[in-house]
Amino acid sequence: DRHYDNGILYIIETGSNIICMIDLKNKTFKRHYHRGESDKKYHINTMYIDDQFIYIVEHNKTEHTGIPSKVVFYTYDFNLVGCMDNMGTASHNVWIEGDYLYVCSSMDEGIIKRHLKSKKQEFIDISKYCTGLTRGVAHVDGYRYIGISKFANREERHLSGDSVILILDEDWNYIDKINLGDTGQLLEIRAIDGIDKCHNRIPFPKDLKETLLNI
């Protein structure tokens, strides 16, 4: 996963559990080992950045450890300042809207919505619209787009199987779906128009948009 914010590029090296911070203006580079270089049981995969913290999803290799997913948050200098436990099963994606933090609880086929102050948590069941792993999400112009991948083992899921993009309204009600036949696992969704609330409200790069539209 990667995010660009105010001249700083943040990248997660998922295989190494490293968060990189690259200052493009001053040409500086900093690496941070999440929970220490020797700790291999925690697996991080996605991030969100607001004006206070860097939020990181601990997927946690749930099938191996039995540890539920968590969301941890750092200062911009990588000081660990908090942790939200029980944030789903094999979770991906994290974003904030208003007073709520969201993650895709992938193996549970839904979305977790957690109030940042009260810590009250609710589960939004996506399986009633389409069964499969919830992963990849965008929220733009009043529509929510949720990626759904078929359950499969690691050797097969990247190469074959159908994926679906669900289109929901603001209140998570079904509108439509886009079938992606035999495309393998869906890893991410990005909106190329409008301001995506799930990706730091940063406009999609104009040059990249033009390239994609000309493919």
Side-chain angles (χ1 to χ4, degrees), residues 5-208:
D5 186 56
N6 293 325
I8 307 294
L9 178 64
Y10 298 88
I11 300 174
I12 290 180
E13 297 180 19
T14 56
S16 305
N17 281 356
I18 292 172
I19 309 164
C20 298
M21 182 177 69
I22 305 168
D23 187 328
L24 300 176
K25 180 179 179 181
N26 297 312
K27 301 187 186 307
T28 59
F29 176 84
K30 183 176 182 180
R31 297 174 96 197
H32 173 76
Y33 283 90
H34 178 68
R35 294 194 182 269
E37 186 173 359
S38 62
D39 197 335
K40 303 299 183 183
K41 70 179 178 179
Y42 293 96
H43 168 58
I44 60 177
N45 58 30
T46 41
M47 76 174 90
Y48 182 88
I49 301 168
D50 65 11
D51 58 359
Q52 288 185 300
F53 301 117
I54 301 170
Y55 300 83
I56 304 288
V57 173
E58 285 186 350
H59 177 86
N60 282 350
K61 296 185 177 179
T62 307
E63 67 274 20
H64 300 304
T65 66
I67 301 173
S69 297
K70 299 180 180 182
V71 174
V72 298
F73 38 107
Y74 289 99
T75 65
Y76 289 174
D77 293 326
F78 296 117
N79 295 311
L80 184 62
V81 293
C83 177
M84 299 179 185
D85 295 321
N86 298 313
M87 292 300 292
T89 306
S91 295
H92 296 85
N93 301 92
V94 57
W95 71 100
I96 292 174
E97 295 182 36
D99 294 327
Y100 292 91
L101 180 141
Y102 299 81
V103 298
C104 292
S105 183
S106 300
M107 293 296 290
D108 295 328
E109 305 180 82
I111 307 289
I112 288 177
K113 176 182 178 182
R114 178 171 176 137
H115 196 276
L116 289 167
K117 294 180 180 178
S118 71
K119 312 302 182 187
K120 184 179 180 180
Q121 191 164 298
E122 62 181 283
F123 181 76
I124 301 166
D125 183 11
I126 301 299
S127 67
K128 58 187 176 182
Y129 305 131
C130 181
T131 60
L133 293 157
T134 51
R135 183 176 182 180
V137 59
H139 182 192
V140 62
D141 294 338
Y143 296 96
R144 300 181 185 271
Y145 302 88
I146 312 295
I148 307 292
S149 299
K150 297 295 183 182
F151 289 105
N153 61 46
R154 183 175 294 275
E155 291 73 22
E156 297 174 348
R157 64 192 183 198
H158 295 302
L159 303 175
S160 62
D162 299 339
S163 294
V164 170
I165 299 176
L166 288 176
I167 305 174
L168 310 179
D169 68 13
E170 291 277 358
D171 298 316
W172 306 93
N173 298 308
Y174 178 84
I175 295 176
D176 202 352
K177 66 180 178 181
I178 302 170
N179 292 302
L180 304 173
D182 201 30
T183 55
Q185 189 177 39
L186 194 155
L187 301 180
E188 184 60 282
I189 296 175
R190 293 299 304 268
I192 63 173
D193 285 314
I195 301 298
D196 187 349
K197 296 180 181 180
C198 299
H199 293 91
N200 292 309
R201 301 176 184 270
I202 299 173
F204 195 81
K206 182 179 178 180
D207 292 345
L208 180 55

